[in-house]
Amino acid sequence: MKNGYEVVKNFITPSFADYLKNYFTLIAENGECIEGDYQAPDSHCIYGDPAFDTLMLMTSPIIEENLNSIFSDEYSVDERISLIGSVIRDGSEISKNISFNDVVIHSKDAVRMIEMDTTLNGKNLYTVNADGLVISTPTGSTAYSLSSGGPILEPNMDALVIVPICPHLLSNRPIVIDMNSIIEIKLSEKSNMNASVTFDGQINVPIQANDIIKISKGEISLKLIQPPGIDFLSILREKLGWGYKP
């Protein structure tokens, strides 16, 4: 490959993972190979050269089937946006994290609703009483957002989606917004319970009443290698069983 590579280990057998590491070390441009220095979404471990910024996200059988095509530069690259989320308490930023899938505000210790005041680009959107709120990228729209009733977004859409989790009012529906929007969510004083904000299901930050979670598009993008014959619609058909008789 002309521009280098990194590989995400996703259900790869140990022996095949060793083969990949050895092969990549041999052809890395500067001879330096890292292991496990960065955790991708869902804790997939990246192998490769730190100077390269392209990931190959496939399962072991698909990798084996497509290695020759990929090493011959017969692939496409999908670029995915990220989210940057900050927790602000008493005017000071106490935490800042990045997500490629979603940022989720949710109750922590009990299955009870929390009240959240939500603004969009400085304008009031709504006050929602719900089990939580999901702010998702197009990549994350097929994860927690989808299971909470949100729409499926094409990965290259310039959009984000806000999805209430089990809202008290049925009128609090998911909303698709411009990806350059600035979202601010304030945990209401009436939410007299422990709550958390979670980034990609990996990092949990405890929050309290009057904390503000500010979310916007991140500067970092994620590049994913797509081998020939693999596309978003074919993955949807396979995973969701579209076109199959019950």
Side-chain angles (χ1 to χ4, degrees), residues 99-171:
S99 297
F100 291 106
N101 290 312
D102 49 43
V103 178
V104 181
I105 297 95
H106 57 95
S107 57
K108 184 178 179 182
D109 297 327
V111 184
R112 295 187 61 186
M113 291 188 299
I114 53 178
E115 184 173 296
M116 296 160 285
D117 301 319
T118 306
T119 63
L120 189 62
N121 298 321
K123 298 180 180 180
N124 183 51
L125 178 60
Y126 51 39
T127 296
V128 58
N129 286 276
D131 287 353
L133 203 61
V134 180
I135 296 85
S136 172
T137 65
T139 301
S141 69
T142 53
Y144 200 170
S145 173
L146 180 62
S147 64
S148 300
I152 296 174
L153 304 183
E154 282 195 292
N156 58 357
M157 286 186 67
D158 295 337
L160 304 174
V161 61
I162 303 175
V163 183
I165 304 171
C166 300
H168 178 64
L169 296 177
L170 293 179
S171 58

Side-chain angles (χ1 to χ4, degrees), residues 1 4-12 16 19-20 23-24 40 44-47 53-60 62-71 74-78 222-228 230:
M1 292 162 57
Y5 53 84
E6 289 180 336
V7 171
V8 178
K9 185 179 72 175
N10 180 12
F11 303 111
I12 298 176
F16 190 62
Y19 163 77
L20 292 177
Y23 189 90
F24 291 160
H44 299 314
C45 184
I46 294 176
Y47 294 99
D53 62 355
T54 302
L55 308 181
M56 183 168 63
L57 184 56
M58 297 182 295
T59 60
S60 177
I62 298 178
I63 291 178
E64 294 184 81
E65 292 173 7
N66 290 278
L67 275 178
N68 289 334
S69 296
I70 291 169
F71 291 157
E74 296 174 4
Y75 62 89
S76 60
V77 176
D78 283 350
L222 180 69
K223 296 177 182 178
L224 300 177
I225 290 176
Q226 300 287 2
I230 303 296

